[in-house]
Each structure stands twice: as structure tokens, then as C-alpha cells.
Amino acid sequence: MAAQATFKSIKSLVPLLDRVLVQRFKPETKTATGIFLPSSVTNSPLNEGTVIATGPGAPTKEGKVVPCNVKAGDRVLLPSWGGNAIKVGEEEYYLFKDNEILAKIQE
């Protein structure tokens, strides 16, 4: 896993090019009926998250900028590997390249 960077505010972080800042959903620590789940179940990150911010897009060889496929607020399916972890206070975020995001989840 990549080294973690730490920032004071998520607003101070602006993704560049085709990078996407995502906050993964946290696994539930207890069931709806109040049963606490063991840490072996809750320590694995979920493969879903919310897009917090995106870069403007990556330029093609001709210089035309291709925008990211997702936008802030989108719910996305993430790979179980990759991404650069970023810590803001107690919250953890990840930077992915736009083409690493597997799907947009529509509700």
C-alpha cells in the first residue's frame, strides 16, 4: 500500500488531471439488530465510495482535455487494490485515476 499523506482540511486538496478523490464507505460495525461484528469482518474496506472531487481531465496527444467520467457526489465501485491513501483528521480518502474506477452506481 502507498504511503499516507496527512492534511488538515479536505478542501485544501484539489486533484490534478484525471485523478478522482474518493471516500470509501465504512463497513458497518454492528447489525441492524445491534449485534457487533468482529473486527475481522469490519477491517476490510468496502469497494464502494463517494466521489469528493475530480481533476479537470487528462489531455490527449492533440492537447484536447478529456474530462473525468465521474463527478463530485457520484457513488462508485472501486477496485479492491490501488489508490493513494490520504488522511484528513480521522477520515481516510483515496486518490484514484479516472480509468481505475470500475463503475458508477446509479440508484
Side-chain angles (χ1 to χ4, degrees):
M1 185 164 167
Q4 288 189 345
T6 304
F7 297 90
K8 291 183 181 178
S9 166
I10 196 63
K11 301 249 186 238
S12 66
L13 190 66
V14 179
L16 299 177
L17 299 173
D18 61 343
R19 290 186 176 70
V20 179
L21 182 65
V22 176
Q23 184 173 28
R24 285 186 189 266
F25 292 145
K26 292 181 182 157
E28 294 293 327
T29 56
K30 66 179 180 177
T31 65
T33 56
I35 298 171
F36 284 93
L37 300 170
S39 61
S40 61
V41 173
T42 61
N43 278 346
S44 61
L46 293 176
N47 290 349
E48 292 181 29
T50 302
V51 174
I52 304 300
T54 65
T60 63
K61 290 180 183 178
E62 295 79 32
K64 181 182 176 199
V65 175
V66 177
C68 292
N69 292 306
V70 294
K71 63 184 183 321
D74 283 348
R75 189 172 162 199
V76 293
L77 183 64
L78 302 166
S80 55
W81 47 266
N84 291 51
I86 299 163
K87 193 121 176 162
V88 180
E90 293 300 311
E91 295 294 320
E92 197 166 60
Y93 300 86
Y94 293 86
L95 270 174
F96 286 94
K97 289 193 106 188
D98 183 49
N99 64 1
E100 293 175 337
I101 294 175
L102 303 175
K104 189 174 1 177
I105 300 170
Q106 298 183 348
E107 298 181 41

